[in-house]
Amino acid sequence: MFLNHKHHTKMAIKALFFDIDGTLVSFKTHRIPSSTVDALHRAKANGVKIYISTGRPVGFITNLGQIAGLIDGYITTNGALCFIGHNTVCRHEIAHSDVDTILQACAHSRRPAIVVGERDIAVYQHQPIVDKVFRDGLGLHDFRFADLDIVMRQPILQVTPFITAEKEAELMATISDCTSGRWSPKFTDITQREADKGKGLLAMTAHLGLHTDETMAFGDGGNDISIIRRAGIGVAMGNGGERVKAEADFVTTSVDDEGVRHALCHYGVI
């Protein structure tokens, strides 16, 4: 564990933002550790608001039942759709020309992609890797994808091509109005330029009337770096990548070793 120190005014933490996979939810058990559930109940009892900050689109958020009653709002789809209750805080769709460019690149390299519409989610060029990652790896065994034709008639919030980092770099050079956030070596999440978790945090705090110094964000993957940089306190999980840890103010223990509870105790949130 180590501390970096941002140059900000010391303020009480009023809002917590949590990535899901590898942060709240264990990759090993697909559940939220009991120590984390207890810590969030204690934070909530202390008047702290709890928000989700995930690369998962809304339809993929199926594993938070243990804390559903504690959640005050959501940054989803890497910031492409943020909402509190029935109120949309921000929504950013990808230009269809950019969607076409991404899917053409997948066709050329014969790789699949997840296409996230405003209401439904489809697969382009389905391959077994999609089931291995999303059904087995993320516990989405019962999820039913929609037809691609239906999704392509909706605003597209995210496209997740199963490409290497090298192919990602080549692709991103051809689409000027998008950003990419990778949290797996197997795929990357591409969203409209104004959509990342850090910008989602700014939209949420502006909506809530909070200062960013009053926020604390937790994450473990590359797509968490933007929010870890923006938050008053950025926490990297012990199981996170080295790039994430380098950007964090504090590196806690792993998701399976009471990492969330440890960081909240360290900063006096609970």
Side-chain angles (χ1 to χ4, degrees):
M1 291 171 287
F2 61 82
L3 287 162
N4 291 330
H5 292 285
K6 289 177 181 158
H7 298 289
H8 58 72
T9 305
K10 180 69 173 176
M11 300 176 77
I13 297 299
K14 294 182 180 178
L16 304 172
F17 290 81
F18 292 98
D19 170 54
I20 296 178
D21 301 289
T23 300
L24 282 179
V25 175
S26 167
F27 281 119
K28 297 177 183 176
T29 67
H30 299 307
R31 289 183 60 77
I32 304 172
S34 58
S35 68
T36 299
V37 175
D38 175 67
L40 296 190
H41 275 283
R42 291 169 60 189
K44 191 82 171 184
N46 287 341
V48 180
K49 300 290 188 180
I50 295 170
Y51 299 93
I52 298 303
S53 169
T54 182
R56 290 190 185 220
V58 176
F60 281 178
I61 302 176
T62 59
N63 52 357
L64 298 179
Q66 294 162 270
I67 61 166
L70 302 178
I71 299 169
D72 293 291
Y74 294 81
I75 295 172
T76 75
T77 329
N78 288 303
L81 179 62
C82 304
F83 58 92
I84 297 172
H86 295 295
N87 297 320
T88 299
V89 174
C90 63
R91 189 196 67 136
H92 303 285
E93 65 178 281
I94 305 175
H96 271 276
S97 58
D98 286 337
V99 175
D100 290 342
T101 299
I102 298 166
L103 297 185
Q104 287 168 11
C106 288
H108 185 263
S109 58
R110 299 180 181 177
R111 301 299 295 164
I114 304 291
V115 183
V116 179
E118 186 173 33
R119 294 178 301 280
D120 301 295
I121 304 170
V123 181
Y124 176 69
Q125 297 190 148
H126 188 280
Q127 293 178 15
I129 185 66
V130 174
D131 293 327
K132 182 175 178 60
V133 169
F134 283 89
R135 297 197 187 282
D136 299 336
L138 297 183
L140 294 166
H141 299 288
D142 299 324
F143 186 82
R144 297 186 68 172
F145 289 102
D147 291 338
L148 183 64
D149 289 346
I150 292 172
V151 173
M152 290 296 286
R153 291 196 289 268
Q154 302 172 18
I156 303 301
L157 303 182
Q158 180 168 280
V159 183
T160 300
F162 284 70
I163 55 176
T164 63
E166 291 74 23
K167 289 291 185 183
E168 173 194 348
E170 293 174 13
L171 173 60
M172 295 309 294
T174 69
I175 45 177
S176 60
D177 201 37
C178 289
T179 187
S180 182
R182 179 177 289 269
W183 52 282
S184 166
K186 295 181 174 63
F187 59 82
T188 191
D189 291 330
I190 297 175
T191 51
Q192 196 266 349
R193 178 189 291 278
E194 290 303 311
D196 64 34
K197 291 186 181 186
K199 289 176 177 148
L201 175 78
L202 295 181
M204 293 287 272
T205 52
H207 179 82
L208 294 165
L210 291 177
H211 194 284
T212 54
D213 284 356
E214 298 172 304
T215 66
M216 187 174 182
F218 290 70
D220 71 307
N223 63 341
D224 296 309
I225 290 174
S226 62
I227 195 168
I228 281 173
R229 285 174 173 166
R230 294 277 192 184
I233 298 170
V235 177
M237 305 302 290
N239 50 280
E242 292 308 311
R243 286 179 57 232
V244 187
K245 292 177 180 178
E247 296 287 348
D249 299 294
F250 183 70
V251 178
T252 188
T253 49
S254 76
V255 60
D256 296 295
D257 191 24
E258 303 191 357
V260 168
R261 185 196 65 80
H262 179 69
L264 292 179
C265 286
H266 178 85
Y267 282 101
V269 178
I270 60 173

